[in-house]
Amino acid sequence: MGSAYVLTRAVVHFYFPESGTLFIPIDNVHPTMISTWKKALLDGAGDIFDKNQKSRKQIDTKVDELHRQIGQLKVENDFLSRKLGY
């Protein structure tokens, strides 16, 4: 079962919740999983169409790198302050 198939079924269920076909046992999809996908779709749907939006992971990676650099610069600054007597 490919991810495109699963996404299509989840979207169909989102727009047509009365269709019980999504819960056919052959799909091997639990209703809780569908709720999770629906929430993820609603939370991230706007980002799909925003070409200027960076992914959350890229932003978090950049923030972590900047925090690391700030920490390193603070240590270097403190070291030099002690050595120079400031």
Side-chain angles (χ1 to χ4, degrees):
M1 176 170 32
S3 60
Y5 171 77
V6 172
L7 178 61
T8 302
R9 295 297 297 256
V11 170
V12 167
H13 181 70
F14 175 70
Y15 286 108
F16 305 103
E18 65 280 354
S19 95
T21 58
L22 191 60
F23 300 108
I24 295 173
I26 197 168
D27 284 340
N28 296 323
V29 178
H30 194 273
T32 305
M33 196 66 205
I34 295 167
S35 298
T36 304
W37 292 333
K38 179 179 175 181
K39 183 179 181 327
L41 177 65
L42 292 174
D43 290 345
D47 295 340
I48 294 170
F49 301 105
D50 187 3
K51 294 182 189 248
N52 295 325
Q53 179 72 20
K54 290 185 177 180
S55 73
R56 172 67 74 194
K57 189 173 185 177
Q58 289 174 327
I59 292 171
D60 289 344
T61 302
K62 186 64 175 175
V63 167
D64 290 343
E65 173 64 22
L66 291 172
H67 282 134
R68 188 193 64 72
Q69 288 178 0
I70 289 170
Q72 181 180 354
L73 291 171
K74 184 170 180 358
V75 168
E76 290 173 0
N77 190 30
D78 291 345
F79 175 78
L80 290 173
S81 293
R82 281 192 303 265
K83 289 292 180 182
L84 296 174
Y86 290 109

